[in-house]
Amino acid sequence: MEELEKWVWKKWKQKWKLVRIARELSEKTKWSIYYSLCFVVDFLHNEKGIGFSRKQLRYAFNKLLNDKISNHPEQWRFLLSLGGYTYKKKSS
């Protein structure tokens, strides 16, 4: 797993987008593209302290999953929360 994390970090530092990293990781590991994206976001957020906006996450999931997620708009948030990433709106 450490090898994959190093690979993800290297690609992130090379300015790859979440979508591209997830696609490549999916091909490399034979994981589903959805799981790959969850892994990337979880690692970057929890291990490296990278914060993502709701807009960034929604874009990445919709870009990769199209119809699969549009029927369940909260599904991406739920799966990310299982990995320890929770996005909370800032109160005004």
Side-chain angles (χ1 to χ4, degrees), residues 3-66:
E3 193 176 305
L4 290 177
E5 291 172 344
K6 285 181 182 180
W7 182 86
V8 168
W9 183 240
K10 179 181 172 185
K11 298 308 176 191
W12 181 257
K13 298 281 283 176
Q14 292 174 349
K15 306 287 186 205
W16 282 29
K17 304 281 185 201
L18 287 174
V19 172
R20 185 174 177 196
I21 296 171
R23 279 192 181 125
E24 293 289 327
L25 183 62
S26 178
E27 288 179 23
K28 182 180 183 92
T29 61
K30 305 303 181 212
W31 292 344
S32 74
I33 197 136
Y34 195 91
Y35 182 79
S36 296
L37 184 56
C38 287
F39 176 84
V40 170
V41 171
D42 177 59
F43 169 71
L44 291 174
H45 176 69
N46 290 321
E47 298 298 320
K48 297 297 183 178
I50 307 294
F52 298 101
S53 69
R54 176 181 301 243
K55 185 177 178 180
Q56 285 174 300
L57 295 174
R58 185 179 293 125
Y59 173 82
F61 277 91
N62 285 335
K63 183 78 171 172
L64 290 175
L65 303 172
N66 297 332

Side-chain angles (χ1 to χ4, degrees), residues 68-86:
K68 293 178 189 173
I69 199 141
S70 61
N71 295 332
H72 305 283
E74 301 302 313
Q75 185 178 25
W76 60 273
R77 278 192 244 169
F78 171 72
L79 283 173
L80 285 175
S81 71
L82 292 178
Y85 185 91
T86 54

Side-chain angles (χ1 to χ4, degrees), residues 51-54 86-92:
F52 298 101
S53 69
R54 176 181 301 243
T86 54
Y87 181 90
K88 296 181 182 176
K89 287 184 178 180
K90 294 178 182 176
S91 57
S92 303

